Amino acid sequence: GSAALAAFVRMLRDQGHDTIIIDPDPLNTRAVRAYTKAGFRPVPHLEGRTDGVLIMQHHAFAHELT
């Protein structure tokens, strides 16, 4: 769930990854909602250009960096 996703993102950030990209099926609204809640946002210049996937990138928030 949300806690596992947050832990995974934290682990990737701790390992030095600056960019985290996922590609859920845009019709899977539960997944898209969960990723959005975890800080992922659609990549604007790719929206509508990738058939069957929604390219989303994680955006670190100030509270995650402290």
Side-chain angles (χ1 to χ4, degrees), residues 46-65:
L46 295 176
E47 281 189 278
R49 299 182 73 191
T50 53
D51 194 31
V53 296
L54 176 62
I55 307 298
M56 300 178 83
Q57 181 175 351
H58 187 265
H59 295 276
F61 299 109
H63 70 275
E64 292 177 334
L65 301 175

Side-chain angles (χ1 to χ4, degrees), residues 3-22:
L5 183 55
F8 183 63
V9 167
R10 245 188 331 275
M11 179 192 73
L12 291 172
R13 293 285 183 205
D14 289 346
Q15 291 176 355
H17 295 280
D18 294 324
T19 303
I20 304 171
I21 304 281
I22 55 167

